[in-house]
Amino acid sequence: MVQSAHPPTSRAPAIEVHGLTKQFRRAGQDPLRAVDGLDLTVPAGQIMAFLGPNGAGKTTTLDMVLGLTTPDAGTIRVAGMAPRAAVRAGKVSAVLQSGGLLADLTVVETVRLIASTFDNPRPVGEVVERAGLAELANRRVSKCSGGEQQRLRFAMALLPDPEVLILDEPTAGMDVTARHEFWATMRADAAAGRTVLFATHYLEEADAFAERIVLISAGRVVADGTTSEIRASGAGRTIAVDMPESDRESWIGRVRSLPGVTHVEVRGRRVYIAASDTDSAALALLRDLGARNLEIAAPTLDSAFVALTGEHSAATEPDGESGGETAYAADYVGEVSA
Amino acid sequence: MNPTYFALELKRFFRDYTGVFFIAVLPCFFYVVFGAAQFWSSQSVGRGNVAMYVMISMAAYGAVTATVSIGGSAAMERMQGWGRQLGLTPMRDSMFVATKAVVGVTVALVPIGLIFVIAAFTGARGDLPAWIVGGLVILVGAAVFSVYGLIFGLLFRSESAIGAASGTLVVLAFLGNLFFPLSGTLLTIAKFTPLYGYVSLARRTLTEGYILNGTQNGNLVFEPLWQPILNIVVWTVIFCALAVAAVRYGRRRQ
């Protein structure tokens, strides 16, 4: 587990989750286990990204941490308290996904309304200023763009001056400029030492903003560490080889049956192989299968994501469109000649 | 109750001109057209006159339009995610319900107050108990109909839900013997519809329990008190049961 860059404090962990489980009933099908025995500890002051494909259980987990949904099993402590108590005490707040605003109120009225529910909120003018909404204060919510509405949600989240701030896909649906502006605002805020936990399916955001990434898939933590640690974990490392001329079909079949091989892609003579243990796969390829010109590629964050979750992340760059190619043909750093 | 929340809710109401028209202006207009402007408005009815009879009916119509609209929008807001936003604050659900209830009652007071004042200046006459009991029954009974609005908001989850709820109120008002006196079979049917007991009870102190039935040669017929009361009790139970079912249905869909 990665330690926070902030100096250690005597404070309770910002978030402590053990054995968290939540199922949803589905008509005519088995229940969906959205969160499946999840364990997670977030030290105070850390900026953590919660990464995973759609449906991995991110929002369900965050809803339970915020006391909006009751877990089927497991325990949650937020700033040392039960979720709903932490919300009432103003220790935790959140920027939720789209929806949930009253369209006929103005920006400043919305903030005032939410401020009225807290005992000692930060001044309305102050949070409006910090969220960069001063010029839009008297605009109707219905006339605000998606990015502006998101900044409004951020302003509301600042009202209790929370120790823990949770952001659920805060930039979903924003254009590039709005995303950059949003993160600039967040960065300024996080410098103050708040614990920030954000869910995203944009790798780029997790990489740029978080000091720790927790990758979840099918309701479980599949990787936990810094970006470079996840890259170095070996997940998503690929082997590229030239295959022998004869009897290609059965050769590929033999490659597929090698222990730990998860994915085989053929492009002409060149074969790209993803494997959990690339060392032993490489040995077998060279010694037993007559492969030539072998290269082992270090994983990108993207290929690690694919290997760990079995799905592609949302593409943020134009060249991300090519999906599989980005994952398997990038970043060759080591070369082993046969 | 949260005063800031209450004040902003009232501001929202007065900002919505369409809502203000249907809740406050239209019932006043109905009173003037069907009550004050008619030549029979000064004819006596029980402890007062026809103008007052129409006044109570139209004020009741305005009041239920108000509470149905507030109840419907409260449910809809929560369904559309505002409930999640409030879930991030210390505000308890009971506080939300209490605040919305006070908003509903306050907004219902707008058509009641307007119509009562206009009526007082345009010939509505009745003794003091008829005014006071009439006004109170309208206000308290209207609260029941906020549950009716709630059901529409819970089931349809869109702005049109409130329009639909208000639209059905017009039909129920006709069927409930509210807009003009029904007779014969229609009057018998009316006694089973939700607005009948409410408006009948609101007018009862004025009419002393007598209702007009056209098939009896325009004679007045006495109606036992248990009839409007049973109507109100049964419909309150039905509305509450439907609202609980709608909440469960909504939760399953989430």
Side-chain angles (χ1 to χ4, degrees), chain A residues 156-237:
Chain A
M156 292 190 283
L158 289 178
L159 280 169
D161 199 12
E163 288 175 19
V164 184
L165 184 59
I166 289 174
L167 310 158
D168 189 6
E169 305 210 359
T171 60
M174 285 190 195
D175 63 27
V176 178
T177 319
R179 273 219 305 272
H180 280 284
E181 279 176 15
F182 184 82
W183 284 115
T185 317
M186 283 310 307
R187 219 174 248 122
D189 189 71
R194 219 189 286 286
T195 308
V196 178
L197 192 161
F198 67 99
T200 182
H201 55 267
Y202 293 120
L203 285 171
E204 183 196 53
E205 284 186 353
D207 201 6
F209 192 67
E211 42 191 317
R212 171 186 174 197
I213 294 175
V214 170
L215 200 59
I216 74 164
S217 177
R220 289 167 174 276
V221 174
V222 291
D224 184 348
T226 60
T227 318
S228 48
E229 281 173 330
I230 288 181
R231 279 210 187 101
S233 70
R237 201 175 283 170

Side-chain angles (χ1 to χ4, degrees), chain B residues 92-190:
Chain B
R92 290 167 201 270
D93 289 349
S94 54
M95 178 68 88
F96 176 80
V97 173
T99 305
K100 281 284 185 183
V102 178
V103 171
V105 168
T106 310
V107 170
L109 275 172
V110 174
I112 300 173
L114 274 176
I115 293 173
F116 273 39
V117 168
I118 292 172
F121 286 104
T122 54
R125 294 292 173 261
D127 67 3
L128 196 61
W131 284 89
I132 293 172
V133 176
L136 282 179
V137 172
I138 292 171
L139 198 57
V140 174
V144 173
F145 283 86
S146 61
V147 182
Y148 181 77
L150 208 66
I151 296 166
F152 275 80
L154 287 168
L155 290 182
F156 299 109
R157 303 184 176 204
S158 68
E159 310 294 334
S160 55
I162 295 163
S166 306
T168 59
L169 271 188
V170 178
V171 177
L172 293 179
F174 273 108
L175 286 177
N177 205 26
L178 191 150
F179 283 142
F180 60 82
L182 301 172
S183 57
T185 314
L186 263 181
L187 182 61
T188 312
I189 294 171

